[in-house]
């Protein structure tokens, strides 16, 4: 198992994908720090501090407008921009896809997995090593993303728009179970669909399609529930930052653990029973 991890790490750091992930993380952090907004995918309600600022954001067309917006925000507001950005960590989903492709899907596409399993490596050890490595790389990415933006925001925008080092650690830790749940979903997809092209076809639009289907169902049948809005993973990551109750943190943690267990069971069972060609 250790040898598989070492071999994967050597291959990963010799390739370009991991450096693309790092550069994308830094680029997106710079964009958020410069524009002083938390961009996001999907449907989470990430409102700005006022209608005036919202109007200026909508009307932003070029660099001059962005500079005016920065000046306006700095003169009129004070808020923890770093926590707002961490609240949109669903964006990391697409970077997790790159990591998962690099660690798992590439083995299926290049047939390297057949050689690995034929060298006295059990499927259980292979699966465990891949899960461990993806969790390790993804955890490193999460902490890098959060603290890179924390220090960048502190330098670019000052303490008026920053929280504390400890507060960033706290918010990072309470988001981890749900983020691990997302990662486990991608691991499941990788072992179920195997080839990179199929994995990408399913995983890339999954978050948006899932939200659209559930929202459409709720609206069509007029279902009265707030559970989806509270615990849908994108909304939950956001709400975990906005002064959550201890009960809400516990529920999200248990939900994340449930996702980790169920998705890895499905992924391993699929891998154990599949024929490697």
């Amino acid at each position: 198992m250790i040898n598989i991890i070492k071999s994967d790490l050597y291959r990963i750091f010799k390739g370009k994908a991991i450096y693309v992930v790092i550069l994308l993380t830094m680029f997106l952090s710079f964009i958020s720090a410069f524009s002083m907004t938390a961009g996001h995918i999907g449907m989470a309600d990430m409102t700005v501090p006022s209608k005036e600022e919202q109007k200026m954001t909508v009307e932003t067309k070029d660099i001059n407008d962005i500079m005016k917006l920065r000046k306006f925000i700095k003169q009129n507001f004070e808020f923890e921009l770093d926590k707002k950005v961490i609240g949109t960590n669903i964006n990391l989903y697409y970077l997790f896809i790159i990591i998962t492709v690099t660690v798992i899907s590439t083995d299926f596409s290049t047939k390297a997995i057949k050689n690995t399993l034929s060298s006295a490596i059990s499927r259980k050890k292979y699966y465990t090593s891949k899960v461990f490595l993806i969790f390790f790389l993804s955890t490193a990415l999460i902490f890098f993303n959060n603290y890179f933006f924390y220090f960048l925001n502190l330098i670019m925008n000052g303490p008026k728009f920053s929280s504390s080092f400890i507060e960033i650690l706290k918010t990072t830790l309470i988001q981890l179970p749900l983020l691990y749940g997302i990662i486990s979903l991608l691991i499941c997809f990788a072992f179920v669909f195997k080839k990179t092209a199929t994995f990408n076809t399913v995983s890339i639009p999954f978050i948006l399609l899932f939200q659209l289907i559930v929202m459409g169902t709720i609206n069509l049948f007029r279902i009265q529930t707030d559970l989806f809005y509270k615990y849908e993973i994108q909304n939950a990551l956001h709400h975990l930052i906005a002064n959550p109750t201890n009960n809400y943190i516990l529920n999200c943690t248990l939900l994340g653990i449930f996702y980790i267990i169920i998705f890895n069971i499905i992924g391993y069972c699929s891998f154990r029973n599949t024929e490697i060609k």
Side-chain angles (χ1 to χ4, degrees):
M1 183 171 140
I2 299 297
N3 289 335
I4 295 176
I5 294 173
K6 286 182 178 179
S7 176
D8 280 340
L9 282 173
Y10 176 79
R11 174 173 57 85
I12 288 167
F13 284 100
K14 286 284 288 183
K16 298 177 181 178
I18 193 66
Y19 302 106
V20 170
V21 168
I22 293 172
L23 289 175
L24 278 174
T25 303
M26 296 171 68
F27 175 73
L28 293 174
S29 292
F30 177 80
I31 294 298
S32 294
F34 184 72
S35 64
M36 301 188 75
T37 57
H40 64 284
I41 61 171
M43 62 180 194
D45 182 21
M46 301 294 291
T47 55
V48 289
S50 74
K51 290 182 180 180
E52 289 184 13
E53 185 181 351
Q54 186 175 23
K55 184 173 182 293
M56 289 189 67
T57 303
V58 171
E59 293 177 350
T60 296
K61 297 177 180 179
D62 55 33
I63 190 68
N64 292 326
D65 291 332
I66 295 175
M67 293 299 294
K68 291 177 182 178
L69 176 61
R70 279 178 56 82
K71 183 177 180 181
F72 174 78
I73 293 175
K74 286 192 172 187
Q75 289 177 344
N76 294 277
F77 300 103
E78 181 176 351
F79 57 92
E80 295 172 325
L81 177 61
D82 43 19
K83 290 179 69 174
K84 283 183 174 291
V85 170
I86 291 175
T88 64
N89 268 351
I90 188 66
N91 295 338
L92 294 177
Y93 174 78
Y94 294 103
L95 301 183
F96 296 151
I97 288 176
I98 298 175
I99 291 175
T100 306
V101 166
T102 306
V103 175
I104 299 176
S105 299
T106 300
D107 277 9
F108 283 102
S109 295
T110 62
K111 310 294 184 180
I113 186 173
K114 186 174 183 179
N115 295 331
T116 303
L117 294 178
S118 64
S119 61
I121 298 296
S122 70
R123 295 196 181 204
K124 183 178 180 181
K125 285 184 178 180
Y126 179 89
Y127 185 90
T128 304
S129 67
K130 295 295 184 178
V131 171
F132 178 85
L133 182 56
I134 290 176
F135 270 57
F136 172 76
L137 292 174
S138 298
T139 302
L141 173 63
I142 293 165
F143 275 89
F144 174 75
N145 173 75
N146 291 1
Y147 275 105
F148 179 80
F149 183 82
Y150 167 74
F151 287 113
L152 182 65
N153 178 57
L154 193 61
I155 293 169
M156 291 181 63
N157 300 316
K160 184 179 176 181
F161 298 94
S162 303
S163 53
S164 69
F165 186 93
I166 297 299
E167 192 66 22
I168 296 299
L169 177 60
K170 176 184 174 182
T171 54
T172 301
L173 293 177
I174 63 177
Q175 279 190 340
L176 280 182
L178 281 179
L179 290 173
Y180 286 159
I182 297 174
I183 295 163
S184 297
L185 172 66
L186 292 173
I187 292 171
C188 176
F189 283 166
F191 280 104
V192 169
F193 299 109
K194 300 174 185 65
K195 291 188 177 181
T196 301
T198 309
F199 170 78
N200 287 337
T201 301
V202 174
S203 62
I204 291 174
F206 179 79
I207 292 285
L208 291 174
L209 286 178
F210 174 76
Q211 292 174 345
L212 288 172
I213 291 170
V214 176
M215 284 291 295
T217 303
I218 291 174
N219 292 330
L220 180 64
F221 295 100
R222 300 183 183 278
I223 300 172
Q224 300 297 320
T225 177
D226 65 345
L227 289 179
F228 176 71
Y229 300 100
K230 287 179 65 177
Y231 295 107
E232 185 274 329
I233 202 155
Q234 181 171 351
N235 282 316
L237 288 171
H238 168 56
H239 293 317
L240 280 171
I241 305 302
N243 298 317
T245 63
N246 290 333
N247 187 58
Y248 185 73
I249 293 174
L250 176 61
N251 289 342
C252 287
T253 300
L254 294 175
L255 184 62
I257 292 172
F258 171 77
Y259 287 153
I260 293 168
I261 294 172
I262 195 68
F263 289 138
N264 278 294
I265 289 175
I266 295 171
Y268 178 69
C269 288
S270 174
F271 178 54
R272 185 183 61 186
N273 297 320
T274 195
E275 181 182 356
I276 305 299
K277 297 180 181 180

